[in-house]
Amino acid sequence: MVAAAVTVSAAVLPAQAAPGPKEDHGAAGAVHSLRAPVTDENFYFVMADRFSNGSKANDQGGLGPDPMVSGFDPTKKGFYNGGDLAGLLDKLDYIQGLGTTSIWLTPSFKNKAVQPEDKSAGYHGYWITDFTQIDPHLGSNDELKALIDAAHARGMKVYFDIITNHTADVIGYQDGARKGYESKDPVPYRDAAGNEFDDRDYAGTGSFPALDAATSFPYVPVLDESEKDLKVPAWLNDPTLYHNRGDTTFAGEDAYYGDFFGLDDLFTEHPTVVDGMKEIYKTWIGDFGVDGFRIDTMKHVNNEFWQEFGPDVLDYAKEQGKDEFFMFGEVFDTTKSFTSQFTTRNQMQAVLDFPFQDAARSFASKGQDTRALETFFAGDDWYTDADSNVYQLPTFLGNHDMGRIGSFIAADNPGSSDAEQVARDRLAHELMYFSRGNPVVYYGDEQGFTGPGGDQDARQTLFASQVPEYLDDDLLGTDATHATDNFDTSHPLYARISELAKITKEHPALRNGAHQHRYASAGAGIYAFSRTNAKDQREYVVALNNSEQAQTAEVPTYIGKRNYTKVYGDAAAAAKTSAAGKLTVTVPPLSAVVYQSSGRIPHSKAAPAVVLQEPAAAPGDNGRLKVTADVDGASFYEVTFEAKQAGGNWQPIGTDDTAPYQVFHDVAALDAGTPVEYRATVLDNGGHTATSAARTAAVPAPLLTLQKPEEGSGVRGTVELSATAGPEKAGYQVAFERSVDNGDWTAVGSDDSSPVYLVKDDVSALADGTQIRYRATMAGPGFDVASNIRTVRVGDAPQPDSVTVAGSLNQAMGCTEPWQPSCEQAMMTLDPADRIWRLTVDLPAGQYEYKAALNGSWDENYGKDGQFNGQNIVLDHHGGPVTFRYDNSTHVLTAGYASQQPSAVSVPGSLNSELGCSGDWEPACDQAQLTLDPADLVWKLTVPDLPAGSYEFKAALNRSWDISYGAGGASPGANIVLQHDGGPVTFRYDHANHVTTAG
């Protein structure tokens, strides 16, 4: 969907909109939609430690037999299990037999073998100490070179998973290890002379203030004497090159600056870090021939880093002769307006398509309304700009963090047969292979691997396992278990994935042809789209059925009265379109079929008319303008969009090859109010062109959003106010105001420290019940804006008289009719301990819709995402008890199940010895275990007589430190403090928000 040719005008437009040097002095451009070199890869994503053990000599990494030193223990899922590069080299036939064209390795650099605080090992590769050496548990640098050379000899590429955000946990703090996060606002950075500064003012400039480890940071970094020179290259041992602010909660400011579970978070705003990381990864390209990078935790690194790192590394790779070098980032988010910013604004080539994973699971595993896929693919134009588009994105169904597609299918379809689960797995892969993007197979999915969840539970070995938890897994499509090797090339999923790779290789349009929506049924049923290569002009129709019955549909095509031949699936061998171009297809349950037209799409006689709609601020991103063109025709067209400023030349900003034709032009670098002129040129399949009249739009003002406090919440003492601006720019200053009992707005304070602006308001002098409204304001070149308003009350937030789960499920609850807000059986109960409303009911299986209705009527009701009078909430229920939970501070109503709860929850802390444990901070101690209350799905532990004292604790899941939650439900979060006067105390943990309380 992007122009292959790029022009640069004399006027200054955003840098990301002008990547090329070609001049254009006014002629309208008509070019084909871009297909970058990497739009037809088949990735195999593999964790080397869990694939194949080719050499037992390196199992202990040269560190000896003690698992807490070497990290090797094949009986534990959190330790090295023995796989290595030699095993990968030995199994290249198996990997290539899937149709793999690129092997993507999890991080393979030398790791800190064990982090005792985590009671696990660095088998996964994310605790790096030496960025220049392969982890000895996996092999040597020479073995890596041999693997890459062997793959290249077979025509396969090798991709590295790389990290720029953090290193292993080596740095401690003078105040203690793994402290809670300290914000930049109350504790700003200071230069070596003691002057306060905001690092965002220097990011991307090439300069940075000198720092002093003893005075520049909120926590004073300290290093153990034995680890002062542990990291390689040597510059990584400088503690001033890290943020040193404590652990992240993965939200707001600390998502950029906080340590991930103690891992040392690099100061990526600092030019030394930027330059150092570029040099590290250039070496792996130049010396070893690595073909591309997947970049970990991309959204947790500042934009300026990527804007320099990406283009520079790519240029270097091309200098080494790697014209197809490709980088894609991990942006764990399902919102395209956000994930696409990394390929447009930040100039990276691609991101992992997390939104696709979510949509594919909903379609193939959950059997949801196929129109959701239509909506999903319609958003692909968010990725269209002048040098990249959605066709480059790697698509996937599950991974080592979130879990496997087999696991999702088993969880979404309890009680279903193995045959059904295999069919749904196959359908998910068919959607992934036949739709746009580069498909990624997560190792083991081809053998039907499942597992109860993500992270360690989704990292089984393909070689015979000794891990008890893995031996309990049920594999799809086979009677095999993890007790034996699983390299079965006859497994139905291995065979099907291999077939899909073969089909798409034989028919390249199915890999990189234009992806045009064609048909979506109401509810479960058929979703259909076509793939068309701009040069070949043969249309392929792909129809997928996510229902459990055969379905028939009339699918629109480009061609009337034309024969179509089946190339895939269990369906009629041939079909013919009607005079109106409709192709009737019948698709078996949980299956896909593909048909190919017998000839080219007929050439257009003349270019159709093209008209621009009025450009407008893009919903979800005020840093972009949505530019849409209406084309008067129904054949295959490509529309190139161009933009210019006053006095400048036209330059392409993207080409779209599927209707509706649109781009989301990134104008974040321009001042608000700047006029930008647009035009569109349509290219038909006969080579004719037509250009629209130009239209002008002004760059939108930034959007200021008040994030805290929560709407409707109760406040006391000091209230934290926070706001964000989008698009963010260094130099903004945000002012906060309040209105007491609808009085005049008065100033609270201001902040110029990005990316989250924060002040605090003292309300201790206000009486309980006082209403306070808050807002944020900001002014700058071309704009003067105010945020949304949040209203709170001093004291506890008032609760409604009643809350009803009102919906289509009411009669199943015993109500007289559906959607009955006054039905007592559907009314929830307020828990005074946490002020959450709950209701547990036993419902028959079915799909239900519902809302929260307050005070027994529809006058005040809340739907999806807590929106007032919002959309109905959908529940796909498999039968049995379900617990509804409503929080009046957010108005969010959710449904949860006991099956979604962890297997155990404990409160390890300094109080454990008082509970009768053998020591403190013991997550496996029986006396510290909470019990799940099935009536409200809250975990509880009552201690009859806890001695008076000051205690600290956390919530730990599943009797280990693998997953833990601290203050405010943050993971791992700061310790929770309990000042106790002695006597009984009850600990409560709510898995819905991970908050633990004691009282």
Side-chain angles (χ1 to χ4, degrees):
M1 297 182 183
V2 172
V6 179
T7 59
V8 178
S9 70
V12 178
L13 277 166
Q16 61 272 17
K22 184 179 176 182
E23 290 293 331
D24 175 11
H25 299 289
V31 296
H32 291 298
S33 171
L34 174 69
R35 292 300 181 270
V38 180
T39 58
D40 57 357
E41 295 291 342
N42 298 324
F43 286 95
Y44 188 69
F45 176 35
V46 59
M47 182 170 282
D49 178 66
R50 302 300 167 93
F51 183 72
S52 178
N53 192 343
S55 171
K56 295 188 180 298
N58 57 29
D59 285 355
Q60 296 171 359
L63 299 174
D66 184 351
M68 291 305 295
V69 175
S70 72
F72 175 69
D73 187 340
T75 68
K76 293 183 179 178
K77 61 184 179 179
F79 283 71
Y80 288 94
N81 279 194
D84 49 33
L85 298 178
L88 279 165
L89 183 62
D90 184 55
K91 297 291 185 182
L92 285 181
D93 283 345
Y94 171 87
I95 295 173
Q96 192 166 32
L98 271 173
T100 302
T101 61
S102 291
I103 301 169
W104 158 19
L105 294 171
T106 52
S108 302
F109 307 116
K110 184 178 181 180
N111 268 233
K112 196 171 187 180
V114 178
Q115 291 189 168
E117 303 92 332
D118 300 292
K119 294 183 171 58
S120 64
Y123 70 94
H124 41 67
Y126 294 97
W127 299 346
I128 301 173
T129 57
D130 187 344
F131 286 81
T132 68
Q133 180 183 346
I134 291 299
D135 192 305
H137 295 84
L138 306 180
S140 65
N141 288 15
D142 288 342
E143 286 177 290
L144 173 70
K145 188 67 168 65
L147 174 64
I148 293 174
D149 290 346
H152 286 173
R154 293 167 171 260
M156 291 192 294
K157 301 174 183 176
V158 176
Y159 282 69
F160 256 24
D161 200 320
I162 68 169
I163 302 167
T164 63
N165 178 66
H166 59 262
T167 69
D169 182 8
V170 175
I171 297 174
Y173 299 133
Q174 200 172 70
D175 296 336
R178 301 196 176 185
K179 303 296 289 184
Y181 185 78
E182 288 284 355
S183 173
K184 292 201 302 179
D185 296 288
V187 191
Y189 286 115
R190 296 179 181 274
D191 64 21
N195 303 304
E196 296 182 2
F197 73 96
D198 187 353
D199 57 289
R200 290 295 175 109
D201 294 337
Y202 295 91
T205 67
S207 64
F208 210 81
L211 302 176
D212 185 331
T215 60
S216 292
F217 303 93
Y219 292 114
V220 177
V222 294
L223 290 165
D224 186 275
E225 192 65 34
S226 65
E227 294 185 331
K228 284 188 174 180
D229 298 311
L230 178 66
K231 297 177 186 178
V232 181
W235 63 264
L236 289 164
N237 295 303
D238 181 353
T240 68
L241 296 178
Y242 297 84
H243 284 133
N244 297 319
R245 289 197 165 272
D247 280 353
T248 182
T249 66
F250 301 97
E253 173 191 303
D254 65 66
Y256 296 94
Y257 292 88
D259 295 344
F260 281 37
F261 308 101
L263 299 174
D264 301 344
D265 203 70
L266 281 158
F267 216 142
T268 49
E269 296 80 5
H270 199 298
T272 299
V273 175
V274 180
D275 293 341
M277 282 294 163
K278 288 191 296 187
E279 290 308 309
I280 285 171
Y281 292 117
K282 286 179 182 179
T283 299
W284 289 101
I285 299 168
D287 293 355
F288 293 85
V290 173
D291 298 292
F293 297 142
R294 176 268 195 186
I295 304 170
D296 185 60
T297 58
M298 178 177 275
K299 75 175 184 178
H300 298 287
V301 175
N302 57 295
N303 292 346
E304 297 85 359
F305 179 93
W306 301 123
Q307 290 163 3
E308 184 171 346
F309 179 90
D312 199 21
V313 171
L314 186 60
D315 287 345
Y316 177 82
K318 290 182 177 179
E319 290 171 3
Q320 309 307 306
K322 289 194 168 293
D323 293 334
E324 294 190 2
F325 192 86
F326 183 59
M327 291 182 285
F328 56 96
E330 177 205 30
V331 182
F332 199 158
D333 195 285
T334 59
T335 308
K336 290 185 179 181
S337 59
F338 176 71
T339 57
S340 62
Q341 291 179 17
F342 293 85
T343 64
T344 54
R345 190 166 301 160
N346 291 347
Q347 302 178 62
M348 298 302 293
Q349 291 168 286
V351 291
L352 271 170
D353 200 346
F354 278 91
F356 174 86
Q357 188 280 331
D358 183 62
R361 176 181 179 180
S362 295
F363 175 79
S365 181
K366 296 181 178 180
Q368 292 186 355
D369 194 320
T370 69
R371 290 172 293 188
L373 274 186
E374 176 184 2
T375 301
F376 166 78
F377 286 116
D380 282 352
D381 296 319
W382 279 102
Y383 297 95
T384 301
D385 69 358
D387 65 351
S388 62
N389 59 26
V390 77
Y391 294 101
Q392 296 168 226
L393 268 57
T395 54
F396 69 103
L397 301 172
N399 65 20
H400 60 318
D401 290 328
M402 63 169 46
R404 296 182 177 277
I405 182 61
S407 173
F408 301 144
I409 289 170
D412 295 336
N413 301 276
S416 58
S417 67
D418 180 69
E420 178 186 336
Q421 293 182 16
V422 170
R424 290 187 181 278
D425 199 312
R426 187 172 58 233
L427 178 64
H429 282 90
E430 289 165 339
L431 174 63
M432 180 171 68
Y433 270 81
F434 291 141
S435 61
R436 87 295 182 274
N438 296 291
V440 178
V441 173
Y442 179 43
Y443 85 99
D445 283 359
E446 76 278 8
Q447 297 295 332
F449 284 13
T450 56
D455 200 71
Q456 295 177 10
D457 288 330
R459 301 173 181 179
Q460 302 90 337
T461 56
L462 272 171
F463 58 96
S465 178
Q466 301 175 49
V467 176
E469 294 93 332
Y470 296 160
L471 299 179
D472 284 343
D473 289 352
D474 290 324
L475 280 63
L476 305 185
T478 179
D479 293 328
T481 71
H482 288 295
T484 62
D485 289 357
N486 283 283
F487 295 97
D488 181 8
T489 57
S490 66
H491 190 286
L493 290 173
Y494 182 101
R496 183 54 57 100
I497 293 169
S498 179
E499 180 185 3
L500 291 170
K502 181 181 179 181
I503 290 289
T504 54
K505 183 178 181 180
E506 293 173 352
H507 301 273
L510 292 171
R511 283 266 37 85
N512 56 24
H515 179 127
Q516 176 65 59
H517 164 75
R518 288 304 188 188
Y519 177 90
S521 65
I526 291 178
Y527 176 73
F529 54 90
S530 62
R531 305 297 306 271
T532 306
N533 181 280
K535 180 179 180 181
D536 180 70
Q537 289 284 308
R538 288 180 182 270
E539 182 177 20
Y540 290 80
V541 174
V542 180
L544 306 106
N545 177 13
N546 73 340
S547 77
E548 296 179 37
Q549 298 81 35
Q551 300 284 342
T552 300
E554 293 184 347
V555 179
T557 70
Y558 287 124
I559 319 170
K561 295 184 177 180
R562 181 64 62 87
N563 291 323
Y564 279 70
T565 303
K566 185 192 72 173
V567 297
Y568 178 85
D570 182 10
K576 188 174 183 178
T577 56
S578 66
K582 298 286 186 71
L583 182 71
T584 300
V585 295
T586 298
V587 188
L590 302 177
S591 297
V593 299
V594 181
Y595 285 91
Q596 175 192 14
S597 67
S598 61
R600 294 172 55 96
I601 301 169
H603 280 171
S604 298
K605 304 298 183 183
V610 56
V611 177
L612 274 186
Q613 296 181 15
E614 183 177 356
D621 184 356
N622 257 39
R624 289 195 256 189
L625 284 165
K626 180 182 179 182
V627 189
T628 303
D630 295 325
V631 177
D632 185 19
S635 188
F636 179 80
Y637 306 123
E638 297 172 275
V639 178
T640 297
F641 295 86
E642 297 173 290
K644 73 172 182 177
Q645 286 181 256
N649 296 323
W650 290 105
Q651 58 183 32
I653 57 173
T655 297
D656 189 2
D657 57 5
T658 60
Y661 302 98
Q662 59 189 2
V663 294
F664 294 86
H665 182 214
D666 196 320
V667 292
L670 300 177
D671 287 338
T674 302
V676 182
E677 194 172 0
Y678 294 99
R679 70 182 181 186
T681 299
V682 60
L683 171 67
D684 72 7
N685 66 346
H688 313 104
T689 64
T691 301
S692 72
R695 299 196 72 157
T696 300
V699 173
L703 182 65
L704 190 60
T705 303
L706 192 64
Q707 304 286 1
K708 290 181 180 179
E710 293 283 355
E711 174 66 25
S713 61
V715 297
R716 293 184 184 276
T718 300
V719 183
E720 183 176 288
L721 314 180
S722 67
T724 56
E728 173 59 42
K729 291 184 181 180
Y732 282 162
Q733 179 159 324
V734 175
F736 294 84
E737 300 174 331
R738 78 179 191 185
S739 165
V740 178
D741 284 336
N742 293 315
D744 293 338
W745 290 100
T746 58
V748 175
S750 64
D751 183 30
D752 61 1
S753 177
S754 61
V756 178
Y757 303 91
L758 183 149
V759 299
K760 293 184 178 180
D761 185 27
D762 184 358
V763 300
S764 57
L766 300 177
D768 281 4
T770 302
Q771 182 196 76
I772 311 174
R773 294 186 299 153
Y774 289 107
R775 72 180 183 185
T777 63
M778 182 174 69
F783 70 91
D784 188 347
V785 297
S787 73
N788 54 310
I789 294 173
R790 292 277 175 90
T791 302
V792 301
R793 286 189 183 276
V794 178
D796 291 334
Q799 296 288 337
D801 294 332
S802 67
V803 178
T804 307
V805 182
S808 61
L809 39 63
N810 285 162
Q811 285 175 300
M813 294 178 172
C815 305
T816 58
E817 60 185 25
W819 298 98
Q820 188 177 358
S822 60
C823 174
E824 292 186 2
Q825 292 93 325
M827 288 185 176
M828 311 178 79
T829 300
L830 177 65
D831 187 336
D834 59 8
R835 302 179 67 77
I836 299 296
W837 295 77
R838 294 182 176 88
L839 172 68
T840 297
V841 292
D842 197 327
L843 293 176
Q847 186 177 82
Y848 301 99
E849 296 187 8
Y850 61 97
K851 288 185 175 184
L854 274 55
N855 303 321
S857 78
W858 288 112
D859 293 345
E860 185 177 359
N861 71 85
Y862 298 94
K864 185 179 179 182
D865 299 324
Q867 294 297 310
F868 175 75
N869 204 27
Q871 297 179 13
N872 295 342
I873 307 166
V874 177
L875 173 65
D876 290 306
H877 184 57
H878 299 294
V882 56
T883 297
F884 295 94
R885 180 185 187 278
Y886 172 78
D887 185 341
N888 196 51
S889 68
T890 62
H891 305 303
V892 171
L893 175 63
T894 57
Y897 299 93
S899 61
Q900 297 170 329
Q901 299 293 318
S903 60
V905 176
S906 61
V907 281
S910 61
L911 47 80
N912 286 167
S913 56
E914 282 79 4
L915 299 183
C917 303
S918 59
D920 287 335
W921 299 98
E922 290 294 335
C925 171
D926 290 339
Q927 292 91 329
Q929 303 300 314
L930 284 68
T931 301
L932 180 65
D933 186 340
D936 56 14
L937 295 190
V938 176
W939 294 78
K940 302 169 185 175
L941 170 66
T942 297
V943 180
D945 189 12
L946 181 67
S950 178
Y951 301 99
E952 294 188 6
F953 65 95
K954 290 185 177 183
L957 274 52
N958 306 323
R959 293 178 174 265
S960 81
W961 283 113
D962 291 346
I963 304 174
S964 66
Y965 298 95
S971 178
N975 294 342
I976 305 166
V977 178
L978 170 63
Q979 300 290 345
H980 187 55
D981 295 330
V985 61
T986 297
F987 296 90
R988 297 164 51 96
Y989 169 78
D990 187 345
H991 197 55
N993 59 7
H994 309 301
V995 170
T996 307
T997 58

